[in-house]
Amino acid sequence: MAEEREKILEVKNLSVGFLSHGKKMHVIRDVSLDVYKGETLAIVGESGSGKSVFTKTFTGMLDVNGFIDPKSSIKFHGEEISKKKTTKEWAGIRGKRIATIFQDPMTSLNPLLTIGYQIMEVLRLHHGLSKQEAKEEAINLLRKVRIPEPEKRIKDYPFQYSGGMRQRVVIAIALACRPEILICDEPTTALDVTVQAQILQLIKELQQEYNWTTIFITHDLGVVANIADRIAVMYGGQIVEYGTAEDIFYEPAHPYTWALLSSLPQLGSKDEPLVYIKGNPPSFNTEIIGDAFAIRNEYAMKIDYVMDPPMFQISDTHFAKTWLLDKNAPKVEKPLIIQNLRARMKQAAKDLKREVGDYDEK
Amino acid sequence: MATYIIGYLLIILVVAFVVFVELVGHKVIFVNNARIQTIFGHPLLRYSLRRIGSAIISILLAITATFFLIRFKVDANGGLDFCKKVVTNWDKMNETIAWAQCAATKANLGITENWFVDLFTYFFNILPFPKTICVSSFESVVDEITGSVQYYEVLTGCRTTVMYLGRAFFITAANGEFVTDVIFSKMGVSFEVGIIAVLVEIFLGYPMGMMMARRKDGIFDRIGNAYIISIDAIPGVAYYYIWMVILCTLIGLPRKYEAGNFLTLLAPALTMGFTGMAGIALWVRRYMLDEFNSDYVKFARSKGLSENRILAVHILRNAIVPLVRSIPAAVLGALLGTFYLEKIYVIPGVGGLLVDANDKSDFYVLQGIIIVSALISVVSYLLGDIVTAVIDPRISFSKE
Ligand SMILES: Nc1ncnc2c1ncn2[C@@H]1O[C@H](COP(=O)(O)OP(=O)(O)O)[C@@H](O)[C@H]1O
Ligand SMILES: [Mg+2]
């Protein structure tokens, strides 16, 4: 990924806060990140780390009590979009050019409207199709997401569909938008494992066909191993490390990434106990001083409690925000379990392949 | 005679229809006929029949219970209390004559010694098929010389009616009026006021709730909430008085009800409407706010739909579905009137009738009102279910 690629989204010094009970709390704290055209970027982190809030700012979908700090900037194709407020101002971008798939397919569809209506609604709005055209296109889209007998099922209501099928419909709706960026906010979390794999496979195939940019949110690093080009690790409202998938899996630099990788269930073998990250994610109620991860970090140094580390550059593509990379820091060894990750990953991928037939290795 | 035959035929037909629907529904007969299956095997039809069936049973139980309660009251204390109530000037009368008059009255009411015979006669009379009812009046005359009492039965007339609920004796000037006539005429009056009130409630309550939800915590929402809370906090009667003062004393609308004068309906209807709309607005607001926070509305927004479209297609529709169920009950409930409202505005409606009948022990009227109210509530719940089923695709009435 050495060649210069077109930046589709540039986030600079983004801070997002919420007003709750008369108090301001900052939930996204000074985050900068570029998204390149056509890539699949995964955002990983424990729940509550701010992944959803971060990506909601790209389509102006923050809850009403949320606000973006004025010094923040989000550029989409070079156009500043962080100052947009009303639905009117977002028209033309939200849905049409940046679409989102949310976590829970069971509740993402309106229970009182037919599947067909909810797809056609988008086609008619964004592409000005006639009713008949929209219907034909909706059937096509349903076929594309592999709903059997789409001509019949287009008249069905969501309650007649299973969770996996509903998520396919939600994806069909996103397809109907024909967006440039598709944000998938934990699209498989609510589904069971085999359905998860099928949906991931579908997203991956569609991505190859339509060549859009995907921002894939998950709290499970294992899920992204197969689809992400780049990975950003989020903790306490900040991106603490980002790089290519290779960088993150094989050269992780931040202790939080180490912890995340160590706790991958796919890597645990029978004789080793499952590792998990001790303690709780930080609360945003009080101001966070120093490195947010320090209190849970066994590698924490004194400075971690007083000063927020800057983003250190490790390579062209790889960045991490930890004092361990400072030239004055002592040399530490990353946990044993992830030192030979490459071999373990290979084994895990093989196992996975055995489990889910059509799941291919990266 | 002919009416009886028609009546029994009707009953047999109804029973046969119910059995047929059940058999088709359970796929016992006509398994291969798709049309008959879809029409007669429709879950909604079977559901409705079952509901009506169970409603009839509960109505019969209610009638039996009240019947015995009332009869207990009539026969209590050797019948003395009841007789004292129904015979005017009991204390000044010769005891024999007084008792005789009471017995004549009982005969007029169709009260015999045997409770069960009376109950079954009553049941037969309320079966809804055309029947001829002949009524007569009993007069007691005391022979001055022998001191014995003789009855004269005077046939007052015969009439064909669908449902005979007995006759009213104590609450109206015209003795022996059919209870159905009394109740229906009172219902007409209650409904005149009630239906306007319901329309006011709906046409003001819904928009009020919508506007409050649209701008939550906005100025309109605050005012609306204050109104709703005040209605909740102040007892209904007091609120009716407040509106009466505003509408009649301050604005000058006529207060006393006059038959045929539309203007006199306004004050009571608005009083009830303004009070009732608070409840509706409260629920509309609540359901709409739920919708605003629902995932599918967020998803709809993320699809890029305009706010107006989201509001019209995704929020209003969904918010109204749970509310529509209560509309038939509100409309039909208008038939029954409201006691306090009728008292304040001197409306001769059902609310007053109930209290009056109770005070004067006019038990056929009392029983009649109970039956009619039960019927109304059964019909309105059934209608509510049907309307909901029509607009909500998730509802199916099959057993599973
Ligand atoms: N409307 C809101 N008001 C107050 N706090 C919020 C609101 N939305 C999200 N938050 C807080 O922001 C933090 C990040 O949330 P989120 O982005 O949903 O996390 P996740 O990484 O699981 O997607 C959480 O602590 C959450 O409580
Ligand atoms: Mg989330």
Side-chain angles (χ1 to χ4, degrees):
Chain A
M1 211 165 291
E3 85 270 34
E4 267 303 301
R5 292 171 67 184
E6 187 189 335
K7 289 175 186 167
I8 192 166
L9 203 63
E10 292 163 82
V11 182
K12 281 219 167 58
N13 306 107
L14 177 68
S15 291
V16 180
F18 287 104
L19 215 66
S20 115
H21 305 291
K23 251 178 64 185
K24 277 186 192 176
M25 51 178 194
H26 276 87
V27 160
I28 300 296
R29 303 182 298 131
D30 200 28
V31 169
S32 301
L33 185 73
D34 294 334
V35 182
Y36 298 99
K37 194 164 186 236
E39 74 170 344
T40 299
L41 169 74
I43 300 177
V44 199
E46 280 166 297
S47 101
S49 54
K51 305 179 299 287
S52 299
V53 171
F54 179 53
T55 49
K56 275 180 187 171
T57 58
F58 307 159
T59 51
M61 289 287 294
L62 281 184
D63 294 337
V64 281
N65 62 334
F67 58 91
I68 296 181
D69 241 49
K71 62 176 196 299
S72 315
S73 150
I74 304 171
K75 285 190 175 146
F76 175 57
H77 283 300
E79 180 198 353
E80 180 62 51
I81 56 172
S82 67
K83 308 286 184 282
K84 291 182 189 290
K85 290 243 148 50
T86 60
T87 300
K88 267 216 187 76
E89 289 170 336
W90 278 103
I93 292 184
R94 181 191 293 165
K96 192 171 160 96
R97 297 177 74 189
I98 307 179
T100 313
I101 298 173
F102 292 110
Q103 174 171 350
D104 196 349
M106 300 313 271
T107 52
S108 282
L109 297 169
N110 187 329
L112 298 186
L113 298 173
T114 62
I115 299 294
Y117 185 92
Q118 299 187 52
I119 303 176
M120 285 155 65
E121 186 179 45
V122 173
L123 291 167
R124 302 193 62 184
L125 171 78
H126 290 322
H127 310 298
L129 300 189
S130 74
K131 213 168 177 178
Q132 192 51 40
E133 290 167 335
K135 192 178 166 191
E136 279 161 24
E137 180 60 16
I139 292 173
N140 278 336
L141 290 169
L142 284 180
R143 190 170 294 125
K144 200 136 238 164
V145 296
R146 306 215 193 90
I147 300 279
E149 297 185 274
E151 298 84 359
K152 266 191 210 149
R153 308 233 47 180
I154 196 166
K155 293 191 209 89
D156 283 353
Y157 289 90
F159 76 94
Q160 289 160 298
Y161 280 43
S162 69
M165 298 258 280
R166 286 190 213 187
Q167 195 62 299
R168 284 165 193 274
V169 172
V170 170
I171 293 172
I173 291 174
L175 277 180
C177 296
R178 282 180 233 152
E180 293 164 48
I181 301 180
L182 179 67
I183 301 169
C184 304
D185 191 345
E186 314 215 19
T188 60
T189 305
L191 305 172
D192 66 53
V193 183
T194 35
V195 183
Q196 255 185 38
Q198 289 166 2
I199 296 286
L200 278 180
Q201 184 67 25
L202 180 69
I203 292 175
K204 201 170 149 184
E205 281 172 25
L206 291 170
Q207 143 113 40
Q208 270 154 16
E209 182 177 342
Y210 288 84
N211 200 29
W212 52 36
T213 308
T214 313
I215 298 176
F216 196 98
I217 299 176
T218 178
H219 62 263
D220 180 2
L221 253 182
V223 166
V224 298
N226 269 281
I227 59 166
D229 300 318
R230 286 199 311 141
I231 298 173
V233 180
M234 212 157 179
Y235 187 80
Q238 295 179 323
I239 288 182
V240 293
E241 179 167 8
Y242 64 92
T244 63
E246 293 263 313
D247 293 337
I248 301 297
F249 275 101
Y250 307 132
E251 305 291 339
H254 196 285
Y256 179 63
T257 315
W258 298 346
L260 275 185
L261 285 169
S262 309
S263 58
L264 272 178
Q266 290 93 326
L267 297 184
S269 53
K270 302 257 153 19
D271 39 288
E272 289 163 288
L274 207 63
V275 185
Y276 62 95
I277 311 172
K278 292 176 195 69
N280 293 313
S283 143
F284 296 104
N285 289 327
T286 49
E287 205 193 330
I288 298 168
I289 296 164
D291 186 333
F293 189 53
I295 40 169
R296 301 168 75 186
N297 183 5
E298 53 186 297
Y299 303 93
M301 298 173 293
K302 272 198 192 119
I303 188 165
D304 280 319
Y305 294 95
V306 270
M307 240 174 110
D308 198 18
M311 192 61 94
F312 290 94
Q313 179 159 18
I314 301 163
S315 72
D316 277 356
T317 51
H318 192 182
F319 296 78
K321 192 170 173 340
T322 166
W323 283 118
L324 287 178
L325 294 171
D326 191 80
K327 58 182 187 302
N328 295 326
K331 201 93 190 92
V332 296
E333 282 291 305
K334 56 185 177 183
L336 198 67
I337 187 167
I338 58 170
Q339 278 182 8
N340 54 350
L341 198 61
R342 206 176 284 265
R344 280 177 190 259
M345 285 293 286
K346 283 235 165 71
Q347 187 56 43
K350 260 190 217 138
D351 293 348
L352 204 65
K353 199 167 181 168
R354 258 208 313 280
E355 265 169 51
V356 190
D358 56 350
Y359 209 85
D360 52 357
E361 205 180 334
K362 175 117 194 154
Chain B
M1 197 60 215
T3 53
Y4 281 91
I5 293 171
I6 294 170
Y8 286 120
L9 270 178
L10 262 173
I11 292 174
I12 291 169
L13 274 177
V14 168
V15 172
F17 178 71
V18 172
V19 171
F20 179 73
V21 167
E22 280 298 319
L23 288 180
V24 172
H26 281 107
K27 301 220 161 58
V28 179
I29 50 172
F30 288 110
V31 182
N32 296 322
N33 192 324
R35 265 187 76 161
I36 290 186
Q37 273 295 334
T38 46
I39 297 172
F40 292 99
H42 198 285
L44 191 55
L45 182 61
R46 284 169 61 207
Y47 171 82
S48 307
L49 288 179
R50 285 212 190 106
R51 275 292 288 270
I52 294 173
S54 62
I56 288 175
I57 292 173
S58 44
I59 290 178
L60 289 184
L61 286 176
I63 293 173
T64 313
T66 44
F67 187 91
F68 283 125
L69 270 174
I70 291 168
R71 283 304 285 268
F72 188 74
K73 212 172 136 192
V74 171
D75 289 356
N77 198 6
L80 183 64
D81 295 345
F82 177 76
C83 286
K84 270 187 172 168
K85 232 179 190 166
V86 299
V87 177
T88 30
N89 299 329
W90 176 273
D91 293 326
K92 293 177 195 148
M93 272 184 184
N94 171 310
E95 206 177 324
T96 327
I97 298 175
W99 277 108
Q101 219 171 71
C102 183
T105 306
K106 279 186 177 174
N108 276 328
L109 285 169
I111 296 174
T112 67
E113 291 301 306
N114 193 328
W115 290 14
F116 289 95
V117 170
D118 291 357
L119 179 64
F120 283 108
T121 315
Y122 190 75
F123 276 153
F124 177 80
N125 285 338
I126 59 175
L127 279 184
F129 66 86
K131 48 184 110 41
T132 310
I133 302 289
C134 291
V135 292
S136 35
S137 259
F138 292 88
E139 293 288 333
S140 59
V141 174
V142 183
D143 194 315
E144 298 286 334
I145 302 147
T146 59
S148 67
V149 184
Q150 281 189 312
Y151 293 105
Y152 291 97
E153 185 180 353
V154 187
L155 193 71
T156 359
C158 292
R159 182 172 147 188
T160 303
T161 174
V162 175
M163 191 187 260
Y164 176 62
L165 293 177
R167 292 187 292 156
F169 275 86
F170 311 116
I171 55 153
T172 50
N175 258 0
E177 232 183 314
F178 274 34
V179 167
T180 37
D181 292 345
V182 177
I183 294 179
F184 289 152
S185 76
K186 297 275 182 184
M187 265 185 177
V189 177
S190 286
F191 194 67
E192 270 183 329
V193 176
I195 193 66
I196 303 176
V198 169
L199 291 178
V200 171
E201 273 172 28
I202 290 177
F203 284 101
L204 293 182
Y206 276 78
M208 176 176 161
M210 287 172 200
M211 280 161 73
M212 287 171 68
R214 179 98 204 243
R215 299 244 180 286
K216 185 174 176 279
D217 298 327
I219 178 80
F220 192 82
D221 192 30
R222 276 162 212 261
I223 297 172
N225 268 328
Y227 184 66
I228 291 171
I229 290 168
S230 73
I231 290 219
D232 226 34
I234 304 173
V237 199
Y239 223 89
Y240 288 163
Y241 271 105
I242 294 174
W243 272 113
M244 191 269 284
V245 170
I246 295 174
L247 290 169
C248 302
T249 317
L250 296 181
I251 298 178
L253 285 172
R255 174 172 170 192
K256 258 195 175 161
Y257 172 86
E258 275 169 45
N261 184 351
F262 177 77
L263 212 57
T264 60
L265 300 179
L266 274 182
L270 290 179
T271 298
M272 204 172 140
F274 289 156
T275 312
M277 81 180 183
I280 291 186
L282 173 77
W283 285 105
V284 171
R285 175 182 181 274
R286 232 176 242 179
Y287 281 121
M288 279 191 53
L289 288 180
D290 282 354
E291 297 301 321
F292 274 120
N293 289 324
S294 74
D295 286 352
Y296 54 83
V297 165
K298 286 183 185 151
F299 185 56
R301 188 166 290 130
S302 87
K303 292 199 283 195
L305 303 183
S306 70
E307 286 303 318
N308 283 338
R309 196 181 162 84
I310 291 172
L311 196 69
V313 177
H314 290 273
I315 293 178
L316 274 187
R317 234 180 104 98
N318 293 46
I320 281 174
V321 164
L323 291 161
V324 164
R325 177 173 253 132
S326 65
I327 289 181
V331 172
L332 291 177
L335 285 166
L336 295 175
T338 313
F339 173 66
Y340 287 115
L341 192 81
E342 293 179 353
K343 206 169 156 122
I344 294 171
Y345 290 103
V346 207
I347 304 165
V350 181
L353 180 68
L354 181 68
V355 177
D356 212 20
N358 188 43
D359 285 350
K360 295 180 178 153
S361 294
D362 208 333
F363 65 86
Y364 282 126
V365 177
L366 213 54
Q367 190 105 50
I369 295 175
I370 290 168
I371 292 173
V372 172
S373 331
L375 279 177
I376 284 178
S377 77
V378 167
V379 171
S380 28
Y381 283 123
L382 194 63
L383 282 180
D385 283 350
I386 291 174
V387 175
T388 312
V390 168
I391 59 172
D392 187 342
R394 284 168 299 185
I395 293 178
S396 92
F397 287 95
S398 46
K399 265 270 163 77
E400 285 79 13

